[in-house]
Amino acid sequence: MKSIPFNDYYKEKLFSIPLFKELPDYLKSEILKRLDFRLQEINENTVILEQGDICCNLYVLLEGTLEVNIIDANGNEVLIEHIESPRAFATPHLFKKDNRFPATFRTLEKSVLLTATKDSTFHLISKYPDMLKSFLCVSGNCNVCTTMRLDVLSRKTIRERILVYLLKRLKKDTSTVKLTHTLTQLAEYINVTRPALSTEFNKMEKEGILKRKEGNYIELNRKAIKGII
């Protein structure tokens, strides 16, 4: 890791994330004045936070991609999600009583990370209601992602896990969803082997439950799925 200067390019990235995007201009100026932060450039395949570490900063990924994994009770590494920049992450853990990270965060490519101290973040949140509201909304969305992940893993069969994963990413009034993970990543995400995942996809396509299309799109047969989920 090496420190790098904060410039207009990273300023634009910072204020494009949901945590800061909708804030008034005067408050954005206050953030730059009062937030005690630093930027670091990090090489690919670098662990930046480990499961069990204490969360003592606000973390914003300005460039790059992170892979988030947990070690389960059996010692297996389980993929939780991929974090795409620009995005704040781990916000619900900053002010928790037990503020240890439940997962390990690793860079998948060269990345730029902004870290801001807990005290300076708390000062802004406590002083400006707009900042507090934004922080609570972002933290709530993080909890939704965790709930979705647990719902997928709670399913007993590979078929159910695949379909729940796809349905939760399906937009309203459509039957087509874009697969954002590769099959290898998806296999890790739903905690199955890559061959088992491919076999199940082939079976469901033959049975008319789904149809794979160009561009990583998958068309779902909602009527057929109702009898499974």
Side-chain angles (χ1 to χ4, degrees):
M1 298 184 187
K2 70 174 183 179
S3 296
I4 59 174
F6 183 76
N7 54 31
D8 287 341
Y9 172 77
Y10 292 120
K11 176 182 175 181
E12 184 177 349
K13 289 273 188 180
L14 181 64
F15 290 126
S16 71
I17 67 173
L19 180 61
F20 299 133
K21 187 176 181 179
E22 301 300 326
L23 297 177
D25 289 340
Y26 84 89
L27 186 46
K28 291 178 181 179
S29 296
E30 286 296 296
I31 289 170
L32 294 178
K33 291 177 185 176
R34 300 180 182 275
L35 195 64
D36 182 9
F37 66 88
R38 64 173 180 166
L39 259 65
Q40 289 180 300
E41 189 177 73
I42 307 169
N43 291 329
E44 65 177 317
N45 197 31
T46 300
V47 173
I48 60 172
L49 298 164
E50 289 195 58
Q51 186 172 331
D53 286 350
I54 294 175
C55 181
C56 53
N57 291 294
L58 173 69
Y59 296 92
V60 181
L61 184 69
L62 293 180
E63 283 190 332
T65 305
L66 299 181
E67 181 178 85
V68 186
N69 296 284
I70 63 169
I71 304 299
D72 66 16
N74 297 318
N76 300 312
E77 190 174 74
V78 180
L79 176 67
I80 298 300
E81 66 170 326
H82 287 101
I83 295 174
E84 303 284 347
S85 63
R87 178 185 150 188
F89 63 93
T91 50
H93 305 292
L94 185 56
F95 298 114
K96 285 177 63 178
K97 186 175 182 180
D98 179 12
N99 62 338
R100 295 182 183 275
F101 288 106
T104 294
F105 299 77
R106 178 187 290 107
T107 60
L108 292 181
E109 57 189 333
K110 195 171 184 180
S111 303
V112 173
L113 180 68
L114 179 148
T115 57
T117 65
K118 182 177 180 178
D119 287 344
S120 65
T121 303
F122 180 74
H123 174 77
L124 285 165
I125 290 173
S126 59
K127 185 173 182 179
Y128 299 103
D130 285 343
M131 182 71 181
L132 173 60
K133 181 180 178 182
S134 181
F135 187 87
L136 292 175
C137 287
V138 169
S139 297
N141 287 336
C142 286
N143 288 329
V144 169
C145 292
T146 301
T147 301
M148 288 172 60
R149 178 77 170 92
L150 292 174
D151 190 12
V152 171
L153 292 179
S154 68
R155 306 294 170 154
K156 293 182 179 180
T157 68
I158 297 174
R159 179 166 296 195
E160 288 178 317
R161 291 186 182 189
I162 293 171
L163 293 176
V164 169
Y165 168 87
L166 293 172
L167 287 171
K168 286 186 176 296
R169 285 155 180 78
L170 197 64
K171 294 183 179 180
K172 190 177 180 181
D173 300 325
T174 182
S175 296
T176 304
V177 60
K178 184 176 177 62
L179 191 64
T180 55
H181 289 102
T182 65
L183 287 184
T184 298
Q185 291 170 342
L186 179 55
E188 293 177 1
Y189 185 85
I190 68 175
N191 201 24
V192 301
T193 66
R194 170 70 165 77
L197 179 70
S198 295
T199 298
E200 195 58 45
F201 260 114
N202 290 334
K203 285 181 180 178
M204 287 194 288
E205 193 158 26
K206 287 180 180 178
E207 295 172 24
I209 297 171
L210 56 79
K211 182 178 180 181
R212 285 176 283 193
K213 308 177 101 175
E214 291 184 4
N216 287 330
Y217 284 95
I218 296 176
E219 185 178 345
L220 300 175
N221 183 338
R222 288 178 176 270
K223 187 176 180 180
I225 291 172
K226 284 183 180 180
I228 303 170
I229 303 298

